[in-house]
Amino acid sequence: MLIDGKKIAADIRAELTDRVATEQKLGHRPPGLAVILVGDDPASQVYVRNKERACAEVGICSFPHHLPAQTTQEALLRCIAACNSDPAVDGILLQLPLPAGLDAQACLEAIAPAKDVDGFHPVNMGRLALGLPGPVPCTPAGVVELLRRYELPTRGKQAVVVGRSNIVGKPLALLLARPGLYGDATVTLCHSRTPDLARQCRQADFLFLALGRPRCITADMVAPGAVVIDIGINRTPQGLCGDADFVGVSEKASAITPVPGGVGPMTIAMLLSNTVLAWQQTSNAH
Ligand code: NAP
C-alpha cells in the first residue's frame, strides 16, 4: 500500500480552513504566522514562499520579515522580540539555516515557547520528553499523523528510527515511545555509529528513515510486511528520492511512503496545524 501524504495533507488543510472560517464568522481575528527569512538562499526562499502560500490557502495571515544577509544577531533578536509581543502573531517561523555568523540556537531560544510552532524551543522539546502537551516538531508530528489516518497503530510493535537529529529522528523516537495507540512502540534509535544497521532494520515492524542518504536502505534490510516511512529527501541528478531504495523496498513492505508525496507535504500541514492550535489557545482570539 502506498501512503499518500499529499492527499492526507490536503485533507488536513481543508479541515483547518473550515476551522479558521468558522471562528472568523464569530468575529475572531485570523491566525497569524510571522515568517522570518534572513539572506537570499534560493532553497530557503522557495520553502518560505510555499509556507506563505499554504498559510493564505487556509486563512492564516502571514507576516513576512525578509531580512538582508548582513543582518546582525542583535537586529534578528529585535525582530523576534517584536513578533513575540505582537498580539496578531500566534506563531513564529525562523527559516533555517541562517547565514554564517548568526547563532541559530540563541535565536530559536528567543522565540516565546507559546509561539514556537516549529517545536524547536528547549522548553517544548523538554515538554515532549516529559510527555506534556505543547507544539511538536512538524515532520515527526506529520509522520505520526499519517500513521493515525491510515490506522497503522504502533502499540506493542518494534519501531526502528534511523537518524537522531533534533528536528526529526530524536523527537520522532520520543513520540513513538509515548503511551498511546500510535505510540507505545519499543523504539530503537539508530545513527551513523550503529553497527550492523541492516540487522537493526530487519527487526522493525515500523521502519522510519531519516538519514539523508539516497536509496541506501535496500530490500534485504527490510522485514517482509514492515511499514516503511521514508522521511529522507535527497536531490540526485535523476530528481528527488528518499532514503529507501523504493522499487525493491516497496515490494517487501506492507505500506510505504513515496518521495516526493509522502512525509514532505505533511510537514507544512503540521506547521499550519500548530499555528491554528496556538491561535486557538490565545485568549484574545476568542
Ligand atoms: P541530519 O541532521 O543530517 O541527521 C541525519 C542523521 O542520520 C544523523 O543522526 C546521522 O547520524 C544519521 N546517519 C547518517 N548516515 C547514516 C548511516 N549511513 N547509517 C546510520 N545513520 C546515519 O538530517 P535531518 O535534518 O534529520 O534530515 C534527514 C533527512 O530527512 C534528510 O534527507 C532531510 O532532507 C529529510 N527531511 C525531510 C523532511 C520532510 O519534510 N520530509 C523534513 C526534515 C528533513 P549521526 O548523528 O551519527 O551523524
Side-chain angles (χ1 to χ4, degrees):
M1 173 178 66
L2 203 59
I3 297 179
D4 188 349
K6 209 166 154 192
K7 183 197 172 292
I8 300 292
D11 292 348
I12 293 172
R13 288 202 304 273
E15 291 162 16
L16 293 172
T17 307
D18 281 352
R19 212 185 304 167
V20 170
T22 306
E23 297 273 341
Q24 279 199 271
K25 276 190 204 127
L26 301 173
H28 300 139
R29 66 162 175 81
L33 178 67
V35 181
I36 305 176
L37 170 66
V38 189
D40 37 29
D41 175 58
S44 293
Q45 284 175 332
V46 172
Y47 292 143
V48 160
R49 210 175 312 130
N50 289 343
K51 288 170 189 174
E52 288 173 347
R53 195 179 305 138
C55 280
E57 251 181 60
V58 304
I60 295 173
C61 198
S62 59
F63 299 98
H65 296 271
H66 296 182
L67 309 175
Q70 313 84 294
T71 301
T72 62
Q73 180 80 9
E74 291 68 33
L76 181 50
L77 289 172
R78 272 198 305 276
C79 174
I80 294 170
C83 296
N84 281 342
S85 52
D86 185 342
V89 169
D90 302 289
I92 301 172
L93 173 102
L94 176 63
Q95 183 65 41
L96 300 177
L98 294 177
L102 293 174
D103 181 346
Q105 187 60 32
C107 292
L108 291 174
E109 291 186 27
I111 294 173
K115 296 191 178 188
D116 168 39
V117 283
D118 263 330
F120 295 158
H121 193 286
V123 165
N124 290 323
M125 287 292 276
R127 294 183 71 85
L128 175 60
L130 294 172
L132 298 172
V136 171
C138 301
T139 301
V143 166
V144 175
E145 193 59 27
L146 272 182
L147 298 177
R148 188 174 291 126
R149 297 208 179 209
Y150 271 86
E151 298 182 11
L152 295 167
T154 51
R155 173 171 281 165
K157 304 289 187 185
Q158 295 285 342
V160 173
V161 179
V162 189
R164 58 175 164 184
S165 74
N166 287 337
I167 62 168
V168 186
K170 204 182 292 174
L172 179 57
L174 288 168
L175 285 174
L176 293 167
R178 274 196 317 198
L181 191 55
Y182 297 92
D184 276 335
T186 303
V187 182
T188 304
L189 184 55
C190 300
H191 45 76
S192 67
R193 304 300 176 108
T194 300
D196 202 350
L197 182 64
R199 186 174 65 83
Q200 298 293 346
C201 290
R202 275 194 295 270
Q203 287 173 4
D205 301 309
F206 284 77
L207 182 57
F208 300 90
L209 305 175
L211 307 74
R213 300 274 179 268
R215 301 188 190 93
C216 92
I217 304 298
T218 47
D220 58 303
M221 301 169 78
V222 176
V227 173
V228 178
I229 306 293
D230 192 349
I231 302 157
I233 299 179
N234 306 294
R235 273 165 228 288
T236 71
Q238 298 81 37
L240 287 187
C241 74
D243 291 342
D245 178 25
F246 185 82
V247 174
V249 171
S250 59
E251 282 171 13
K252 205 116 174 246
S254 60
I256 186 168
T257 53
V259 178
V263 176
M266 292 298 290
T267 298
I268 293 189
M270 299 320 284
L271 171 72
L272 303 174
S273 172
N274 279 350
T275 304
V276 170
L277 278 176
W279 171 65
Q280 290 184 309
Q281 280 159 11
T282 307
S283 54
N284 66 4
H286 301 279

